[in-house]
Amino acid sequence: MRRLAGWPGAAASGLVLALVLAPLGAVLWRAGGAGWPEPADWAALRFTLWQAALSALLSAALAIPVARALARRRFPGRDLLVLVLGAPFILPVIVAILGLIAVFGRSGLLNAALGPLGLPPLPIYGWHGVVLAHVFFNMPLAVRLILQGWLAIPAERFRLAASLNAPVWRLLEVPMLARVLPGTLAVIFLICLTSFAVALTLGGGPRATTVELAIYQALRFDVDFGRAVTLALIQVALCASGAALVQRARLPDAFGAGLGRSVQRWDGGHVLDALVLGLAMLFLLSPMTMIAWRGAPGLLHLPPEVWGAALRSLLVALAATALTLALALPIALWGRSLGTFAALLPLATSGLVTGTGLFLLVHPLIAPRLVALPVTVLVNAAMALPFAWRALAPAIEAAEAGHGRLADSMGLRGWTRLRWLLLPALARPLGFAAGLAAALSAGDLGVIALFAAGDQATLPLMMARLMQAYRMEAAAGAALLLIALSLGLFWLFDKGGRRAAA
Amino acid sequence: MLQLEDLVLAQGDFRLQADLAVPGGGRVAVLGPSGGGKSTLLAAIAGFIAPQRGRILWQGRDLAPLAPGARPVSMLFQDGNLFPHLTIERNLVLALDPRGRLTPERRARIEAALARVGLAGFGPRRPSALSGGQQSRAALARALLSERDLVLLDEPFAALGPGLRAEMLDLVTEVLGAAGRTILMVTHAPDDALRLGDLALVVDEGRAAAPTGVEALLRDPPPGLRNYLGH
């Protein structure tokens, strides 16, 4: 029974497939010019794999005690804590890095505390910093994924275990972790394979260059297309294997509702849990606090070019948001597996590979810097699409399951079905998806670095340049502005959705 | 008149056979054990399940080519009979115009229908602000407005207490019966069948029997129904 026209969903899916696959085609087409990888390329591949594996292991290992504490304790402020765990996802990467430098950097809080004790300063530039930043971003994600697993254990089992005085850990929790951890590790591994901004700012050099960063350097500094193509092919193979891992491991749902619950249990460990949660919050909140602290004075004398960059970021974010929704909504309404594939495909691609392909496509026609902002909008929209789709598709399914037959029996089809059945149910997820797309896009530092000329920087790129010039105060001021922009956009859209749904 | 001609419905291993007619304006209780196929029968008439064989005719016209929304059928489900995000008025106007445009004339008709079921002035409220019984009344008002001759009730009052249920059945008879609608209602309770009216049909062991007088049927039930009723 066809209730909605299929062509908008088919067209949107086709567009996404073209946007992702055409650049890939361009890379393959130029592959004739690619040489066999040089030693530096192999080193980049080794480092990429190694740091992604280490980041995934550390994130998951640290997340287990945090998730357990959240699963078994009820206390005031718990909801706020769960909220903080969601923040790194929409926090611009470059902003978080600046905060991490303020805490863990050479003249940061930690080394200031270690110095008087006669301990050597801890370095943040190099592989340490890359892994540290990846743990900062992905540990909260791991907590959310693992917490889902914990809360999926029925309360009766805990009651039964308590009445038998059986070891909860071995009986219930180890089997649950064995189910949840592979997916968690795989998804963090995949995310870290394609991380660019972290490697750009904290990594570099022969011992801490990822493939993604190497592509950027080959295109931008060496203008060596052949090498960029070789590296892009390596990255494609990496992403495809990473995505296959995630597919095999079956990812638990991090977006799912119900993180607000906790299960009553009868085993001890109150002090331990309090300590674990306190440390986790310190780790997550201190960088954010440092940005506010250091950035506030910088706000007063921002370099004038920062305002232009902020305006460009705002426009890019709004355009990318509109495009994301224009793609995600028809694809989600279409509900075919080809649409699902198209919506999730950007998760398995890297921004820099897509960027390289687009660079190769436009380069013979016009100067890439002329299309820097439109290309950024396109790529950002594609990157936000999987998350927007994930927010919309279950809501559509729920509305159809709950009231689809009623709508059928009343003859609601096409636009009237959309208007009276689906859009009202979608107001909230649409607002959430728009907020996510806007925040991700405003904070993104990826293809823009590949394309932009000096006077075209978005705010994240401007921040990276200020940091490279060691103008840390100005960078911190710009960081505050960027936080206000991304979180403000997220809040506005999300709130708008909630209000429309009320 | 509703005719089920040599009808066979199949869902997986389950098969249901029916060859019967319901007179126009009849009020028929559909009785039988759980899983016997009562809801399946209604779903087929409403157009949610395509028959494997046979025809469903209303006033001599084959319903097969018609989508659920185009059939002369109003259906009340077990739950979810109102869109929760729309006001009662918006919910009801969809029965008059699928595009949902409210005109002064339609407003007046909605208000009259609401008054008819004892909900005068409830138009601007959301379903969540109504009690279960009031929600059922609002759904009945919509069936009244839709002017579709065949009303299918798939246990819409099952979640209500006995007193409220009796009240709703009286309202069905009074409002929809008086408007000349043909009514088929799935129920588990013999009392409900008696209260609804004149006819009853039994769905059991893969067969829907022709409707007969409800009192006679309950006084001398066939073996399957006898087991089910526990006599």
Side-chain angles (χ1 to χ4, degrees):
Chain A
M1 203 178 323
R2 283 194 39 198
R3 300 140 169 163
L4 295 171
W7 65 265
S13 304
L15 265 175
V16 176
L17 290 177
L19 179 61
V20 174
L21 297 180
L24 212 60
V27 168
L28 290 174
W29 170 60
R30 287 296 300 256
W36 189 249
E38 297 167 21
D41 305 341
W42 290 118
L45 172 61
R46 271 198 307 276
F47 177 70
T48 304
L49 285 171
W50 177 76
Q51 61 79 23
L54 185 62
S55 303
L57 280 174
L58 280 177
S59 301
L62 293 174
I64 291 172
V66 181
R68 183 172 65 167
L70 282 173
R72 65 183 181 182
R73 299 287 165 236
R74 237 171 297 187
F75 52 91
R78 185 180 174 281
D79 290 347
L80 193 71
L81 237 148
V82 172
L83 199 69
V84 168
L85 288 173
F89 187 72
I90 55 170
L91 195 67
V93 175
I94 186 83
V95 169
I97 289 169
L98 193 66
L100 287 169
I101 292 175
V103 175
F104 298 95
R106 182 163 288 275
S107 51
L109 287 183
L110 187 68
N111 282 324
L114 290 180
L117 303 176
L119 293 167
L122 290 170
I124 188 161
Y125 291 102
W127 68 267
H128 321 82
V130 172
V131 172
L132 177 75
H134 283 164
V135 171
F136 175 83
F137 284 109
N138 293 304
M139 189 266 274
L141 172 67
V143 170
R144 291 173 74 92
L145 291 171
I146 297 172
L147 185 53
Q148 287 285 352
W150 240 295
L151 296 181
I153 303 177
E156 307 83 72
R157 305 248 172 99
F158 284 106
R159 240 174 280 153
L160 182 62
S163 74
L164 296 172
N165 204 16
V168 168
W169 171 251
R170 226 180 51 218
L171 190 71
L172 299 177
E173 297 178 329
V174 169
M176 180 279 293
L177 288 173
R179 221 172 35 244
V180 173
L181 279 179
T184 307
L185 287 169
V187 77
I188 297 176
F189 183 74
L190 176 63
I191 291 172
C192 294
L193 284 182
T194 59
S195 135
F196 167 69
V198 168
L200 175 71
T201 42
L202 294 175
R207 297 184 55 194
T209 295
T210 58
V211 177
E212 201 83 339
L213 180 58
I215 294 174
Y216 166 74
Q217 287 165 344
L219 264 187
R220 190 78 196 190
F221 298 140
D222 310 336
V223 201
D224 184 345
F225 287 168
R227 216 174 140 225
V229 168
T230 305
L231 287 160
L233 289 175
I234 293 178
Q235 184 70 343
V236 169
L238 271 180
C239 289
S241 333
L245 269 182
V246 173
Q247 193 66 34
R248 274 196 59 164
R250 273 188 304 125
L251 180 64
D253 187 5
F255 270 156
L259 292 182
R261 294 184 306 120
S262 69
V263 175
Q264 195 186 355
R265 306 174 34 159
W266 294 266
D267 47 353
H270 288 79
V271 180
L272 180 69
D273 284 349
L275 192 71
V276 162
L277 289 177
L279 283 175
M281 282 305 111
L282 193 66
F283 176 51
L284 292 178
L285 288 177
S286 58
M288 302 192 209
T289 316
M290 283 306 282
I291 291 163
W293 178 254
R294 295 230 172 132
L299 262 186
L300 292 176
H301 23 89
L302 281 174
E305 64 267 27
V306 167
W307 294 106
L311 182 64
R312 274 189 290 278
S313 279
L314 178 65
L315 293 177
V316 164
L318 291 178
T321 304
L323 186 56
T324 304
L325 293 189
L327 293 171
L329 188 59
I331 292 178
L333 288 171
W334 194 34
R336 299 290 178 81
S337 50
L338 178 65
T340 306
F341 175 74
L344 294 179
L345 186 61
L347 278 183
T349 57
S350 101
L352 270 276
V353 170
T354 307
T356 306
L358 289 172
F359 198 98
L360 294 173
L361 282 175
V362 302
H363 181 253
L365 306 172
I366 42 170
R369 62 180 177 79
L370 290 178
V371 291
L373 294 185
V375 163
T376 306
V377 167
L378 275 180
V379 174
N380 284 351
M383 278 183 348
L385 177 64
F387 304 105
W389 179 85
R390 288 264 296 203
L392 296 178
I396 292 172
E397 216 168 280
E400 284 288 355
H403 295 92
R405 275 197 162 189
L406 175 61
D408 283 349
S409 81
M410 309 208 43
L412 301 184
R413 311 168 59 125
W415 167 246
T416 51
R417 192 182 191 85
L418 202 58
R419 170 77 186 81
W420 298 115
L421 173 66
L422 296 171
L423 284 183
L426 287 178
R428 230 165 212 266
L430 269 177
F432 177 72
L436 222 52
L440 289 177
S441 176
D444 178 59
L445 175 55
V447 279
I448 185 71
L450 217 52
F451 279 75
D455 55 350
Q456 284 178 315
T458 54
L459 200 45
L461 183 56
M462 178 68 66
M463 263 191 72
R465 286 182 186 163
L466 289 170
M467 284 163 71
Q468 270 155 9
Y470 289 101
R471 294 172 62 187
M472 286 306 181
E473 183 156 316
L480 260 190
L481 194 61
L482 183 52
I483 289 191
L485 186 66
S486 331
L487 297 194
L489 282 172
F490 177 80
W491 184 82
L492 268 179
F493 279 118
D494 190 46
K495 178 94 175 168
R498 279 164 198 270
R499 181 167 298 173
Chain B
M1 187 164 64
L2 174 72
Q3 287 163 283
L4 309 182
E5 267 186 12
D6 191 21
L7 188 69
V8 176
L9 305 172
Q11 281 196 308
D13 285 345
F14 178 78
R15 275 168 69 85
L16 181 68
Q17 220 181 344
D19 191 24
L20 57 90
V22 174
R27 299 197 297 275
V28 185
V30 181
L31 291 164
S34 306
K38 303 187 295 292
S39 295
T40 309
L41 185 69
L42 261 60
I45 298 170
F48 293 116
I49 301 172
Q52 197 180 50
R53 208 178 72 199
R55 299 197 298 167
I56 301 172
L57 302 129
W58 174 250
Q59 315 292 38
R61 181 172 168 222
D62 190 355
L63 296 183
L66 300 179
R71 298 192 176 202
V73 173
S74 294
M75 186 145 182
L76 267 66
F77 302 92
Q78 282 189 12
D79 45 31
N81 283 304
L82 300 169
F83 295 113
H85 46 268
L86 303 179
T87 61
I88 299 299
E89 196 170 48
R90 286 272 170 211
N91 264 293
L92 264 55
V93 76
L94 291 173
L96 298 173
D97 170 26
R99 277 190 273 180
R101 285 167 306 191
L102 274 168
T103 60
E105 184 257 330
R106 286 182 188 143
R107 275 221 162 85
R109 286 180 63 190
I110 290 168
E111 192 48 42
L114 282 174
R116 193 84 179 78
V117 297
L119 288 180
F122 277 64
R125 301 203 196 175
R126 292 274 178 99
S128 57
L130 271 58
S131 70
Q134 288 172 330
Q135 291 182 17
S136 299
R137 285 167 183 268
L140 278 184
R142 192 188 52 213
L144 182 66
L145 276 175
S146 78
E147 293 187 333
R148 299 182 182 196
D149 292 325
L150 193 50
V151 180
L152 306 179
L153 307 170
D154 190 1
E155 297 191 77
F157 314 128
L160 306 177
L164 257 181
R165 217 163 65 216
E167 207 177 289
M168 294 311 302
L169 288 171
D170 290 347
L171 202 60
V172 167
T173 318
E174 212 179 287
V175 174
L176 294 172
R181 308 292 170 88
T182 305
I183 301 167
L184 264 72
M185 184 182 80
V186 171
T187 182
H188 284 290
D191 290 348
D192 288 3
L194 284 167
R195 197 152 197 123
L196 179 71
D198 38 10
L199 295 170
L201 68 82
V202 177
V203 179
D204 189 23
E205 294 188 331
R207 226 179 78 77
T212 52
V214 60
E215 280 178 43
L217 183 79
L218 289 172
R219 215 177 312 122
D220 182 21
L225 187 62
R226 191 191 308 264
N227 287 337
Y228 167 66
L229 294 173
H231 290 319

